[in-house]
Amino acid sequence: MRFEYVCRYCKQPVGVVDHEAWSYADAVSRLGLHHLDVEHQRDVIHAGTDKYEIQTVCDACEQAVAMHPELLIEGNIIQ
């Protein structure tokens, strides 16, 4: 199973976990996603044809928001 981490704001790839032997439940548990409630899991995990995309926030976007929190007013820091 392949999980690709992608920044929710700038859409840049952050990382990949690819482990053929894992089931979806194994991956959710091993990647710590089981700590999220089911609704939050649905918001951040998106199924593709041969992979799952996990939305996260990259370091650059996290720093931009820390320095300028008003960027979140529009809901997307990249205008």
Side-chain angles (χ1 to χ4, degrees), residues 32-50:
L33 299 168
H34 64 286
H35 293 292
L36 304 175
D37 61 50
V38 175
E39 186 176 319
H40 195 182
Q41 285 182 14
R42 278 189 235 132
D43 288 342
V44 300
I45 304 170
H46 303 279
T49 55
D50 58 348

Side-chain angles (χ1 to χ4, degrees), residues 9-64:
Y9 297 116
C10 68
K11 308 300 183 215
Q12 291 297 308
V14 176
V16 174
V17 175
D18 197 355
H19 202 291
E20 299 260 340
W22 286 357
S23 68
Y24 178 82
D26 291 336
V28 167
S29 176
R30 291 176 185 252
L31 297 175
L33 299 168
H34 64 286
H35 293 292
L36 304 175
D37 61 50
V38 175
E39 186 176 319
H40 195 182
Q41 285 182 14
R42 278 189 235 132
D43 288 342
V44 300
I45 304 170
H46 303 279
T49 55
D50 58 348
K51 66 180 180 182
Y52 288 89
E53 181 178 291
I54 302 171
Q55 290 187 345
T56 189
V57 180
C58 71
D59 290 337
C61 290
E62 184 176 1
Q63 289 174 5

